[in-house]
Amino acid sequence: MTLPVCYLNGSYLPLKEARVSPLDRAFLFADAVYEVLPVFAGRPFRLREHFDRLARSLGELRMQQPLTHAQWADVCLELARRNGGGDMYLYIQVSRGAEFGRNHAWPEGLAPTIFAFANALEPTPPQLLVQGVAAVTAQDTRWARRDIKSTALLANVLLKKIAADAGAYEAILLEGGLLTEGSSTTVHIVERGVIRTPPNGRNILPGTTRDVVLLLADRLGLPNEAVAVTEASLRGADEIWLAFSTRGLLPVTTLDGAKVGTGTPGPLFRRLHAAFDAYILELAGTAPL
Ligand SMILES: Cc1ncc(COP(=O)(O)O)c(C=O)c1O
């Protein structure tokens, strides 16, 4: 359920009343970047990492940072407060702004459009954790700069629909015989006790949840590495996980209809998932930045 209050260009207002120009370059060119971050009990999770990534995405678009991290933190906290606190997630988008003429090569000095809204974050349905989710594989048809968190998500949208049409939760993407990521998730596998996830680079988004998983694996003393994962390793994995901000970690128990490992969430998933929940509680009440 979308929550009622949004932020647009410095003001808090009812989402129903928010308006942007159809000449905004986000509308015409998807010339915009975004972040999605969870808020647990009113406290934004991994705020610094999300806004570091936003700054990086903006830099790749040759845009200035419209707000400092401290100002973003204020917007997030205020938006959470005005929407009743508790658990939710925030969507934040910065576009290059509106201009007349639809110029591919943008004129300098446009005022960016800054937009954020809040959405309810319902607890993960227990059956997703008990039974796991289905995934299908698909060829990665996206552009060459997947490290930029751009709103140009048409390929991701089409890939997610392939999964939905197959009754699956996610499309896990392959390129040149290697795993890249999911259409909106980072993928980890477990092979003979070792957690593996592809290294960051231009072909995947540097996932913030991915890094939490690796941090917690280190804390638990579980071997883990960022390394290329072949299609054969993916298909033969003992466990496959999806990591993403709005759900943390989910177990994939079938891939293209075949069981992953035993076909139930694996032992390392259960340890990491418990560690994730404990980590959120450990951070509760601490400063978000
Ligand atoms: C393509 C893609 N990869 C990975 C992720 C996971 O990133 P994060 O863990 O920062 O949410 C997302 C999140 O939306 C995504 O869209």
Side-chain angles (χ1 to χ4, degrees):
M1 185 194 58
T2 304
L3 297 169
V5 182
C6 74
Y7 171 93
L8 182 63
N9 298 327
S11 304
Y12 297 90
L13 70 164
L15 182 59
K16 281 196 284 203
E17 291 170 19
R19 299 286 178 271
V20 294
S21 167
L23 293 176
D24 197 285
R25 293 179 62 92
F27 189 58
L28 297 176
F29 291 110
D31 191 354
V33 293
Y34 75 106
E35 283 296 325
V36 173
L37 74 155
V39 174
F40 298 115
R43 181 192 184 279
F45 181 72
R46 304 297 272 185
L47 197 140
R48 179 179 304 283
E49 289 77 5
H50 281 279
F51 288 103
D52 282 352
R53 185 170 67 185
L54 184 68
R56 185 180 176 283
S57 295
L58 286 164
E60 294 298 326
L61 266 59
R62 295 160 57 180
M63 288 176 66
Q64 307 284 327
Q65 323 292 333
L67 299 179
T68 63
H69 278 32
Q71 288 169 326
W72 280 123
D74 286 346
V75 170
C76 291
L77 290 168
E78 188 59 19
L79 204 49
R81 195 185 66 75
R82 289 183 188 235
N83 282 294
D87 291 356
M88 62 183 72
Y89 70 85
L90 305 179
Y91 176 90
I92 288 150
Q93 177 177 312
V94 182
S95 89
R96 203 182 299 278
E99 49 122 359
F100 183 71
R102 195 182 168 275
N103 296 293
H104 283 65
W106 63 89
E108 298 299 334
L110 296 177
T113 305
I114 310 171
F115 173 56
F117 70 90
N119 221 313
L121 187 58
E122 305 298 344
T124 301
Q127 82 269 15
L128 298 190
L129 302 173
V130 173
Q131 292 164 13
V133 300
V136 293
T137 57
Q139 289 304 309
D140 199 334
T141 49
R142 298 173 301 157
W143 71 324
R145 290 304 307 275
R146 302 163 195 157
D147 55 320
I148 301 172
K149 199 164 169 62
S150 149
T151 61
L153 289 171
L154 189 52
N156 307 59
V157 163
L158 293 171
L159 289 162
K160 186 74 93 186
K161 194 68 172 168
I162 288 173
D165 288 348
Y169 191 90
E170 180 60 303
I172 294 184
L173 308 177
L174 296 164
E175 183 171 55
L178 297 177
L179 165 69
T180 55
E181 60 185 330
S183 70
S184 65
T185 59
T186 300
V187 178
H188 296 74
I189 67 163
V190 177
E191 266 184 313
R192 288 177 297 281
V194 182
I195 301 164
R196 300 200 161 102
T197 192
N200 282 333
R202 290 190 169 191
N203 60 343
I204 62 169
L205 185 77
T208 59
T209 318
R210 164 193 192 275
D211 293 346
V212 176
V213 171
L214 298 181
L215 172 109
L216 296 174
D218 280 345
R219 277 195 185 182
L220 293 170
L222 299 172
N224 64 87
E225 56 185 7
V227 66
V229 173
T230 63
E231 179 174 351
S233 285
L234 175 72
R235 293 196 187 281
D238 302 312
E239 302 187 29
I240 300 177
W241 309 335
L242 305 175
F244 55 119
S245 288
T246 47
R247 285 276 166 248
L249 200 58
L250 286 184
V252 174
T253 45
T254 69
L255 184 66
D256 293 332
K259 278 184 187 176
V260 177
T262 60
T264 55
L268 291 193
F269 168 76
R270 289 199 299 272
R271 287 186 69 185
L272 258 299
H273 188 262
F276 210 117
D277 281 350
Y279 185 56
I280 291 168
L281 289 179
E282 177 187 322
L283 295 176
T286 63
L289 252 191

